[in-house]
Amino acid sequence: MEGFMDALRLLQFEEYGAIAQFTRSDAPGASCDSFSSLNLGLHVGDDPEVVQKNRRIAADIAGISETRIVYAEQVHGARVAVVHADDAGRGAFDTADAIKGVDGLVSTARGLLLAILAADCTPVLFYDPYAGVIGAAHAGWKGTAQGVVMETIKEMKKLGANPEDMLVALGPAIRGCCYEVDQPVTDALEDMYRKLATREPIPFRVSERAAERTMVDLPTLARLQAEQLGVPHGQVIDTSICTHCMPGFFSHRKLRGKAGRHAGFIAIKPRRLSLRGRMR
Ligand SMILES: [Zn+2]
């Protein structure tokens, strides 16, 4: 159970041979003040050398080399890239070489860790253990409105994944208890919701504080998108953590833009060297 308290591990994914976890802001890292302590965001105003140290710590907790991690640029869109073994390390040491223009990454490469950074937006992890396909997506309100979760699943299908076999995890995010949005955001998310075949009510409620504002639960919209593409309800794991009113994760809104970033990590575990293999 080593490292259990340092990251929120997804045991359902691990059971099927994946590394899947959400890093915690309160894991022992090197950052101070509002970035305390395991900030993994290089572009949030924290000392880059300290962030690099934190990224090494996070890689150790996940049990994978930091040189095997791939980051997406994350532009609040819905484009998804297929990444391969030779993309290992992209964005890990320099944000300038992260995978450009995408908010979703998918892969079949064993031992390659896909990383999504967030602080209120929903990090979403995907795994089809039978087809050996993984995915990771960054779903803030803009990406959610553009259907980034559905786009990620579509790209995974092209690699042979079957939504019926997929596990999907919704990471810590600002939830309906705290996420108050204005009319344009409400309208954009409502438009997306109307295109879904769900019979579930829209996860909005009226703000008690301001009549022209609405409380929205983004992770529920992410789940409905996964279900729209055929992922069974019981295979969507919702961590149910609100970054804004619960401890342990960064909240952009709560820290008024001075927040660090936690990460969603997913990899298909590298094969262990077998002794028998070596003897031959
Ligand atoms: Zn909350």
Side-chain angles (χ1 to χ4, degrees), residues 174-179 242-246:
I174 190 166
R175 306 289 309 225
C177 43
C178 297
Y179 191 43
C242 177
T243 46
H244 195 270
C245 66
M246 292 165 77

Side-chain angles (χ1 to χ4, degrees), residues 66-243:
E66 57 184 329
T67 62
R68 304 297 304 165
I69 305 182
V70 187
Y71 288 83
E73 189 186 10
Q74 297 187 198
V75 293
H76 293 281
R79 285 182 54 213
V80 179
V82 181
V83 290
H84 308 280
D86 58 5
D87 291 311
R90 296 275 304 271
F93 305 98
D94 180 2
T95 50
D97 76 338
I99 308 294
K100 281 266 173 288
V102 301
D103 286 78
L105 298 172
V106 299
S107 188
T108 56
R110 189 175 277 272
L112 186 71
L113 189 142
L114 312 182
I116 288 294
L117 298 172
D120 288 342
C121 295
T122 316
V124 189
L125 303 178
F126 307 80
Y127 182 36
D128 178 342
Y130 303 104
V133 185
I134 51 173
H138 165 248
W141 77 262
K142 286 181 184 166
T144 302
Q146 293 168 66
V148 68
V149 170
M150 291 186 283
E151 294 306 316
T152 305
I153 293 172
K154 283 179 195 167
E155 287 302 318
M156 289 178 71
K157 282 174 74 176
K158 289 182 197 165
L159 297 176
N162 178 356
E164 285 180 19
D165 294 332
M166 274 187 205
L167 291 169
V168 175
L170 311 172
I174 190 166
R175 306 289 309 225
C177 43
C178 297
Y179 191 43
E180 198 179 54
V181 296
D182 59 14
Q183 200 58 49
V185 176
T186 307
D187 290 346
L189 292 169
E190 202 167 16
D191 283 350
M192 185 284 296
Y193 167 84
R194 282 185 202 291
K195 290 174 193 145
L196 303 176
T198 183
R199 269 175 280 173
E200 260 187 59
I202 192 163
F204 293 1
R205 64 183 174 82
V206 177
S207 167
E208 286 162 19
R209 204 177 60 85
E212 73 282 9
R213 296 175 83 83
T214 304
M215 311 300 292
V216 173
D217 195 64
L218 283 180
T220 296
L221 290 169
R223 173 173 61 74
L224 292 176
Q225 289 187 13
E227 290 174 19
Q228 174 77 14
L229 272 273
V231 180
H233 181 85
Q235 285 161 225
V236 184
I237 299 141
D238 188 343
T239 60
S240 299
I241 291 169
C242 177
T243 46

Side-chain angles (χ1 to χ4, degrees), residues 1-50:
M1 299 302 267
E2 199 183 342
F4 188 75
M5 297 304 286
D6 293 336
L8 183 65
R9 284 169 52 186
L10 296 163
L11 303 179
Q12 300 93 326
F13 284 59
E14 289 185 9
E15 205 177 312
Y16 290 97
I19 293 166
Q21 53 188 243
F22 297 104
T23 68
R24 292 184 61 104
S25 63
D26 56 2
S31 291
C32 303
D33 305 322
S34 65
F35 301 120
S36 181
S37 64
L38 197 74
N39 166 38
L40 302 181
L42 272 171
H43 264 50
V44 294
D46 197 359
D47 179 343
E49 278 181 33
V50 171

